Short mmCIF file of all heavy atoms in Angstrom, two decimals:
data_model
loop_
_atom_site.label_atom_id
_atom_site.label_comp_id
_atom_site.label_asym_id
_atom_site.label_seq_id
_atom_site.Cartn_x
_atom_site.Cartn_y
_atom_site.Cartn_z
N LEU A 762 28.44 -42.29 53.79
CA LEU A 762 29.90 -42.22 53.78
C LEU A 762 30.36 -40.81 53.41
O LEU A 762 29.95 -40.27 52.37
CB LEU A 762 30.43 -43.24 52.77
CG LEU A 762 31.88 -43.66 52.89
CD1 LEU A 762 32.16 -44.28 54.25
CD2 LEU A 762 32.20 -44.67 51.78
N VAL A 763 31.18 -40.20 54.25
CA VAL A 763 31.83 -38.94 53.93
C VAL A 763 33.30 -39.25 53.68
O VAL A 763 34.06 -39.50 54.62
CB VAL A 763 31.68 -37.92 55.08
CG1 VAL A 763 32.39 -36.62 54.73
CG2 VAL A 763 30.21 -37.66 55.36
N PHE A 764 33.67 -39.27 52.41
CA PHE A 764 35.01 -39.75 52.05
C PHE A 764 35.42 -39.12 50.73
O PHE A 764 34.66 -39.13 49.76
CB PHE A 764 34.97 -41.28 51.93
CG PHE A 764 36.32 -41.94 51.84
CD1 PHE A 764 37.27 -41.79 52.84
CD2 PHE A 764 36.64 -42.73 50.74
CE1 PHE A 764 38.50 -42.42 52.76
CE2 PHE A 764 37.86 -43.36 50.65
CZ PHE A 764 38.80 -43.21 51.67
N ASP A 765 36.62 -38.54 50.70
CA ASP A 765 37.16 -37.99 49.46
C ASP A 765 38.67 -38.19 49.50
O ASP A 765 39.21 -38.88 50.38
CB ASP A 765 36.79 -36.51 49.30
CG ASP A 765 37.25 -35.65 50.48
OD1 ASP A 765 38.15 -36.09 51.25
OD2 ASP A 765 36.71 -34.54 50.66
N ARG A 766 39.37 -37.60 48.55
CA ARG A 766 40.83 -37.84 48.48
C ARG A 766 41.57 -37.25 49.67
O ARG A 766 42.61 -37.77 50.08
CB ARG A 766 41.38 -37.30 47.15
CG ARG A 766 40.91 -38.12 45.96
CD ARG A 766 41.72 -37.87 44.70
NE ARG A 766 41.27 -38.76 43.64
CZ ARG A 766 41.71 -39.99 43.47
NH1 ARG A 766 42.63 -40.49 44.30
NH2 ARG A 766 41.24 -40.75 42.49
N THR A 767 41.04 -36.19 50.24
CA THR A 767 41.66 -35.63 51.44
C THR A 767 41.59 -36.63 52.59
O THR A 767 42.57 -36.87 53.30
CB THR A 767 40.98 -34.32 51.85
OG1 THR A 767 41.16 -33.35 50.80
CG2 THR A 767 41.59 -33.77 53.14
N HIS A 768 40.41 -37.24 52.76
CA HIS A 768 40.26 -38.23 53.82
C HIS A 768 41.07 -39.50 53.52
O HIS A 768 41.61 -40.13 54.45
CB HIS A 768 38.78 -38.60 53.99
CG HIS A 768 37.97 -37.50 54.59
ND1 HIS A 768 38.02 -37.17 55.92
CD2 HIS A 768 37.09 -36.62 54.03
CE1 HIS A 768 37.21 -36.16 56.17
NE2 HIS A 768 36.63 -35.81 55.03
N LEU A 769 41.18 -39.86 52.26
CA LEU A 769 42.00 -41.02 51.90
C LEU A 769 43.47 -40.76 52.24
O LEU A 769 44.16 -41.63 52.79
CB LEU A 769 41.84 -41.33 50.40
CG LEU A 769 42.73 -42.45 49.85
CD1 LEU A 769 42.47 -43.76 50.58
CD2 LEU A 769 42.51 -42.61 48.34
N THR A 770 43.94 -39.56 51.93
CA THR A 770 45.33 -39.22 52.25
C THR A 770 45.55 -39.19 53.76
O THR A 770 46.59 -39.63 54.27
CB THR A 770 45.69 -37.84 51.65
OG1 THR A 770 45.43 -37.86 50.24
CG2 THR A 770 47.15 -37.52 51.87
N ARG A 771 44.54 -38.69 54.50
CA ARG A 771 44.65 -38.70 55.97
C ARG A 771 44.77 -40.12 56.50
O ARG A 771 45.58 -40.41 57.40
CB ARG A 771 43.42 -38.02 56.58
CG ARG A 771 43.39 -38.04 58.11
CD ARG A 771 42.21 -37.27 58.65
NE ARG A 771 40.94 -37.91 58.34
CZ ARG A 771 40.38 -38.85 59.10
NH1 ARG A 771 41.02 -39.31 60.17
NH2 ARG A 771 39.20 -39.35 58.76
N TRP A 772 43.99 -41.02 55.91
CA TRP A 772 44.02 -42.42 56.34
C TRP A 772 45.37 -43.06 56.01
O TRP A 772 45.94 -43.80 56.81
CB TRP A 772 42.89 -43.19 55.64
CG TRP A 772 42.31 -44.30 56.44
CD1 TRP A 772 42.89 -44.94 57.49
CD2 TRP A 772 41.03 -44.90 56.26
NE1 TRP A 772 42.06 -45.92 57.97
CE2 TRP A 772 40.91 -45.92 57.24
CE3 TRP A 772 39.97 -44.70 55.37
CZ2 TRP A 772 39.78 -46.73 57.34
CZ3 TRP A 772 38.85 -45.50 55.48
CH2 TRP A 772 38.75 -46.50 56.45
N ARG A 773 45.91 -42.72 54.81
CA ARG A 773 47.24 -43.24 54.45
C ARG A 773 48.29 -42.72 55.42
O ARG A 773 49.18 -43.47 55.86
CB ARG A 773 47.59 -42.84 53.01
CG ARG A 773 48.91 -43.42 52.52
CD ARG A 773 49.36 -42.76 51.24
NE ARG A 773 48.55 -43.13 50.10
CZ ARG A 773 48.82 -44.13 49.28
NH1 ARG A 773 49.90 -44.88 49.48
NH2 ARG A 773 48.05 -44.37 48.24
N GLY A 774 48.19 -41.43 55.76
CA GLY A 774 49.14 -40.85 56.72
C GLY A 774 49.05 -41.52 58.08
O GLY A 774 50.07 -41.75 58.75
N SER A 775 47.83 -41.86 58.49
CA SER A 775 47.65 -42.56 59.77
C SER A 775 48.31 -43.93 59.73
O SER A 775 48.93 -44.35 60.72
CB SER A 775 46.15 -42.69 60.07
OG SER A 775 45.95 -43.40 61.27
N ALA A 776 48.18 -44.62 58.60
CA ALA A 776 48.82 -45.94 58.46
C ALA A 776 50.34 -45.80 58.52
O ALA A 776 51.02 -46.62 59.17
CB ALA A 776 48.40 -46.58 57.14
N LEU A 777 50.88 -44.77 57.87
CA LEU A 777 52.32 -44.54 57.92
C LEU A 777 52.78 -44.23 59.35
O LEU A 777 53.86 -44.66 59.78
CB LEU A 777 52.71 -43.39 56.98
CG LEU A 777 52.55 -43.67 55.48
CD1 LEU A 777 52.74 -42.39 54.68
CD2 LEU A 777 53.57 -44.73 55.03
N ALA A 778 51.94 -43.49 60.08
CA ALA A 778 52.28 -43.18 61.47
C ALA A 778 52.32 -44.45 62.31
O ALA A 778 53.19 -44.61 63.18
CB ALA A 778 51.26 -42.20 62.04
N ARG A 779 51.38 -45.37 62.06
CA ARG A 779 51.39 -46.65 62.77
C ARG A 779 52.70 -47.40 62.54
O ARG A 779 53.20 -48.10 63.42
CB ARG A 779 50.22 -47.52 62.30
CG ARG A 779 48.87 -47.16 62.87
CD ARG A 779 47.82 -48.12 62.34
NE ARG A 779 46.47 -47.86 62.83
CZ ARG A 779 45.95 -48.36 63.94
NH1 ARG A 779 46.70 -49.15 64.71
NH2 ARG A 779 44.73 -48.07 64.31
N LEU A 780 53.21 -47.25 61.32
CA LEU A 780 54.44 -47.96 60.94
C LEU A 780 55.69 -47.20 61.37
O LEU A 780 56.81 -47.70 61.19
CB LEU A 780 54.46 -48.17 59.42
CG LEU A 780 53.41 -49.15 58.88
CD1 LEU A 780 53.23 -48.96 57.38
CD2 LEU A 780 53.83 -50.59 59.19
N GLY A 781 55.51 -45.99 61.93
CA GLY A 781 56.66 -45.19 62.35
C GLY A 781 57.43 -44.59 61.19
O GLY A 781 58.60 -44.23 61.33
N ASP A 782 56.78 -44.46 60.03
CA ASP A 782 57.42 -43.93 58.83
C ASP A 782 57.45 -42.41 58.90
O ASP A 782 56.41 -41.76 59.07
CB ASP A 782 56.65 -44.39 57.59
CG ASP A 782 57.42 -44.15 56.31
OD1 ASP A 782 58.10 -43.11 56.20
OD2 ASP A 782 57.32 -44.99 55.39
N VAL A 783 58.63 -41.81 58.73
CA VAL A 783 58.77 -40.36 58.83
C VAL A 783 57.98 -39.64 57.75
O VAL A 783 57.63 -38.46 57.89
CB VAL A 783 60.28 -39.97 58.76
CG1 VAL A 783 60.84 -40.25 57.36
CG2 VAL A 783 60.49 -38.51 59.16
N GLU A 784 57.68 -40.32 56.65
CA GLU A 784 56.89 -39.70 55.58
C GLU A 784 55.52 -39.27 56.09
O GLU A 784 54.87 -38.37 55.53
CB GLU A 784 56.72 -40.70 54.42
CG GLU A 784 55.97 -40.13 53.23
CD GLU A 784 55.67 -41.17 52.17
OE1 GLU A 784 56.20 -42.30 52.27
OE2 GLU A 784 54.89 -40.85 51.24
N ALA A 785 55.05 -39.89 57.16
CA ALA A 785 53.73 -39.55 57.72
C ALA A 785 53.65 -38.09 58.12
O ALA A 785 52.56 -37.48 58.04
CB ALA A 785 53.44 -40.44 58.92
N ILE A 786 54.78 -37.48 58.52
CA ILE A 786 54.76 -36.09 58.97
C ILE A 786 54.32 -35.17 57.84
O ILE A 786 53.42 -34.33 58.00
CB ILE A 786 56.15 -35.67 59.50
CG1 ILE A 786 56.47 -36.47 60.77
CG2 ILE A 786 56.17 -34.16 59.78
CD1 ILE A 786 57.87 -36.19 61.32
N ASP A 787 54.94 -35.32 56.66
CA ASP A 787 54.57 -34.47 55.52
C ASP A 787 53.16 -34.75 55.04
O ASP A 787 52.41 -33.82 54.73
CB ASP A 787 55.56 -34.68 54.37
CG ASP A 787 56.94 -34.14 54.68
OD1 ASP A 787 57.04 -33.22 55.53
OD2 ASP A 787 57.93 -34.63 54.09
N VAL A 788 52.78 -36.03 55.00
CA VAL A 788 51.44 -36.39 54.52
C VAL A 788 50.38 -35.81 55.44
O VAL A 788 49.41 -35.16 54.98
CB VAL A 788 51.30 -37.92 54.42
CG1 VAL A 788 49.86 -38.29 54.08
CG2 VAL A 788 52.25 -38.48 53.38
N LEU A 789 50.51 -36.02 56.74
CA LEU A 789 49.50 -35.55 57.68
C LEU A 789 49.48 -34.04 57.81
O LEU A 789 48.41 -33.43 57.95
CB LEU A 789 49.74 -36.19 59.05
CG LEU A 789 49.51 -37.71 59.13
CD1 LEU A 789 49.99 -38.25 60.47
CD2 LEU A 789 48.03 -38.04 58.93
N SER A 790 50.65 -33.41 57.74
CA SER A 790 50.71 -31.95 57.83
C SER A 790 50.00 -31.30 56.65
O SER A 790 49.30 -30.29 56.79
CB SER A 790 52.16 -31.48 57.90
OG SER A 790 52.80 -31.96 59.07
N ASP A 791 50.17 -31.90 55.47
CA ASP A 791 49.50 -31.38 54.28
C ASP A 791 47.98 -31.53 54.41
O ASP A 791 47.22 -30.61 54.07
CB ASP A 791 50.00 -32.12 53.04
CG ASP A 791 49.32 -31.65 51.77
OD1 ASP A 791 49.44 -30.46 51.42
OD2 ASP A 791 48.64 -32.47 51.11
N VAL A 792 47.55 -32.66 54.92
CA VAL A 792 46.11 -32.88 55.09
C VAL A 792 45.55 -31.91 56.12
O VAL A 792 44.44 -31.38 55.96
CB VAL A 792 45.83 -34.33 55.52
CG1 VAL A 792 44.35 -34.51 55.88
CG2 VAL A 792 46.21 -35.29 54.41
N LEU A 793 46.30 -31.64 57.17
CA LEU A 793 45.83 -30.74 58.22
C LEU A 793 45.53 -29.36 57.65
O LEU A 793 44.58 -28.69 58.08
CB LEU A 793 46.89 -30.63 59.32
CG LEU A 793 46.52 -29.84 60.58
CD1 LEU A 793 45.29 -30.44 61.24
CD2 LEU A 793 47.70 -29.79 61.54
N ASP A 794 46.33 -28.93 56.67
CA ASP A 794 46.09 -27.63 56.03
C ASP A 794 44.83 -27.62 55.17
O ASP A 794 44.24 -26.56 54.94
CB ASP A 794 47.30 -27.24 55.17
CG ASP A 794 48.54 -26.95 55.99
OD1 ASP A 794 48.38 -26.59 57.18
OD2 ASP A 794 49.66 -27.10 55.47
N ARG A 795 44.41 -28.80 54.68
CA ARG A 795 43.29 -28.87 53.75
C ARG A 795 42.00 -29.39 54.39
O ARG A 795 40.94 -29.33 53.77
CB ARG A 795 43.66 -29.79 52.56
CG ARG A 795 44.77 -29.25 51.70
CD ARG A 795 45.02 -30.11 50.47
NE ARG A 795 45.73 -31.35 50.77
CZ ARG A 795 45.23 -32.56 50.59
NH1 ARG A 795 44.00 -32.71 50.16
NH2 ARG A 795 45.95 -33.63 50.86
N LEU A 796 42.08 -29.88 55.60
CA LEU A 796 40.92 -30.52 56.22
C LEU A 796 39.81 -29.51 56.54
O LEU A 796 40.08 -28.42 57.03
CB LEU A 796 41.35 -31.23 57.51
CG LEU A 796 40.31 -32.12 58.19
CD1 LEU A 796 39.98 -33.34 57.32
CD2 LEU A 796 40.81 -32.56 59.57
N ASP A 797 38.59 -29.88 56.25
CA ASP A 797 37.42 -29.07 56.59
C ASP A 797 37.40 -28.87 58.11
O ASP A 797 37.37 -29.84 58.87
CB ASP A 797 36.15 -29.80 56.14
CG ASP A 797 34.88 -28.98 56.35
OD1 ASP A 797 34.87 -28.11 57.23
OD2 ASP A 797 33.89 -29.24 55.64
N PRO A 798 37.42 -27.60 58.58
CA PRO A 798 37.49 -27.35 60.03
C PRO A 798 36.28 -27.85 60.81
O PRO A 798 36.34 -27.94 62.04
CB PRO A 798 37.62 -25.82 60.11
CG PRO A 798 37.06 -25.31 58.82
CD PRO A 798 37.40 -26.36 57.80
N THR A 799 35.17 -28.16 60.12
CA THR A 799 34.01 -28.67 60.84
C THR A 799 34.18 -30.13 61.25
O THR A 799 33.41 -30.64 62.05
CB THR A 799 32.72 -28.54 59.99
OG1 THR A 799 32.82 -29.37 58.84
CG2 THR A 799 32.50 -27.09 59.57
N PHE A 800 35.19 -30.81 60.70
CA PHE A 800 35.44 -32.22 61.05
C PHE A 800 36.34 -32.25 62.29
O PHE A 800 37.52 -32.61 62.22
CB PHE A 800 36.09 -32.96 59.88
CG PHE A 800 35.13 -33.30 58.77
CD1 PHE A 800 34.66 -32.31 57.92
CD2 PHE A 800 34.69 -34.60 58.59
CE1 PHE A 800 33.77 -32.61 56.92
CE2 PHE A 800 33.79 -34.90 57.57
CZ PHE A 800 33.33 -33.90 56.74
N ALA A 801 35.75 -31.89 63.43
CA ALA A 801 36.54 -31.74 64.66
C ALA A 801 37.16 -33.06 65.10
O ALA A 801 38.32 -33.12 65.52
CB ALA A 801 35.66 -31.17 65.77
N ARG A 802 36.40 -34.15 65.03
CA ARG A 802 36.93 -35.43 65.50
C ARG A 802 38.01 -35.95 64.56
O ARG A 802 39.00 -36.56 64.99
CB ARG A 802 35.81 -36.46 65.63
CG ARG A 802 36.26 -37.74 66.32
CD ARG A 802 35.09 -38.54 66.83
NE ARG A 802 34.10 -38.79 65.82
CZ ARG A 802 32.84 -39.15 66.07
NH1 ARG A 802 32.44 -39.28 67.31
NH2 ARG A 802 31.99 -39.38 65.09
N ALA A 803 37.85 -35.69 63.24
CA ALA A 803 38.88 -36.11 62.28
C ALA A 803 40.19 -35.35 62.54
O ALA A 803 41.28 -35.94 62.48
CB ALA A 803 38.40 -35.86 60.85
#
């Protein structure tokens, strides 16, 4: 398992996106800035 708080936040942002919640934009944008660039599929 490759999982940390950054990935947890990404997953939460994905759930918010499914729900159409505008909060997902800030959550996912923040994760995008912190995501390891080697995780291309993520």
